Amino acid sequence: VVVDFSAPVLPPQNETVVAKSDVFVRDGQYASQSFGNNSYLVVKSDGVGYSRKTALQFDLTGLDIGSASTAILRLHIRNVNADPSRDITISRLSSSNWQESNLTWNTMPVVDQVGATVAITPSQIGSWLEVDVSELIQAGTVSLLLENNGPASGKSDVSFSSRESGNGPELIVTP
């Protein structure tokens, strides 16, 4: 056996992890309903009964996640309503013990760690949004929350393609 110590060290390879589950939830009279089978995911800050949040679940089991690991969340922007801009915050949820068929506004786990906030405008319809969420990933299953904490507006919503659409959320992870 010959070992060549002058051979280049290859950089870690990116892993694309598709969402295992994705769902949006709604407050008010819909707070006990799950919207996990739709082809879209909605985030909106509005009056009672009209606000929506989205939860995403990624299984990172088997990846060597450490302090130097990076992760880019990719979301396909399906539609953006008329408000000029809305700020979407991405956070990690305290638990991944949910399924898209049973997660509701009332059963949503609490936020464990707040991450990046990104502005989305109507000009981004049809494009892919990429956000660094490296600080939010950990070994095992990770759940992320997308929410609009801005002022309530009937025109503040944004919708993303869900996994059921074929353009679902992805994490590009470099272990």
Side-chain angles (χ1 to χ4, degrees):
V1 174
V2 175
V3 177
D4 182 0
F5 289 103
S6 65
V9 176
L10 296 176
Q13 296 299 309
N14 291 342
E15 297 277 349
T16 300
V17 180
V18 296
K20 174 182 169 183
S21 298
D22 56 12
V23 59
F24 77 87
V25 298
R26 190 170 172 177
D27 70 343
Q29 66 183 356
Y30 306 98
S32 61
Q33 293 181 19
S34 180
F35 298 90
N37 292 327
N38 293 0
S39 62
Y40 57 91
L41 305 162
V42 184
V43 179
K44 184 178 186 183
S45 174
D46 202 344
V48 174
Y50 298 98
S51 291
R52 296 165 183 87
K53 298 178 182 181
T54 288
L56 310 172
Q57 192 177 83
F58 295 94
D59 186 358
L60 305 182
T61 304
L63 297 180
D64 187 19
I65 304 295
S67 60
S69 298
T70 62
I72 302 297
L73 176 63
R74 296 188 74 231
L75 299 165
H76 181 258
I77 301 173
R78 181 178 171 139
N79 197 24
V80 181
N81 211 328
D83 281 356
S85 182
R86 73 268 308 120
D87 292 335
I88 304 301
T89 300
I90 303 159
S91 302
R92 184 178 64 220
L93 295 173
S94 62
S95 170
S96 290
N97 189 21
W98 58 270
Q99 298 171 349
E100 63 181 25
S101 62
N102 67 10
L103 186 68
T104 69
W105 188 278
N106 292 336
T107 62
M108 178 76 68
V110 298
V111 168
D112 181 49
Q113 182 175 344
V114 177
T117 297
V118 294
I120 298 176
T121 65
S123 68
Q124 292 173 277
I125 293 173
S127 67
W128 284 86
L129 175 69
E130 296 189 350
V131 184
D132 187 343
V133 294
S134 301
E135 64 188 3
L136 302 177
I137 65 167
Q138 56 193 18
T141 303
V142 174
S143 290
L144 301 177
L145 177 69
L146 310 177
E147 61 185 330
N148 179 345
N149 293 318
S153 167
K155 303 289 185 183
S156 71
D157 48 308
V158 58
S159 64
F160 303 102
S161 297
S162 74
R163 64 190 196 95
E164 287 82 1
S165 76
N167 283 327
E170 304 174 337
L171 268 183
I172 310 300
V173 180
T174 306

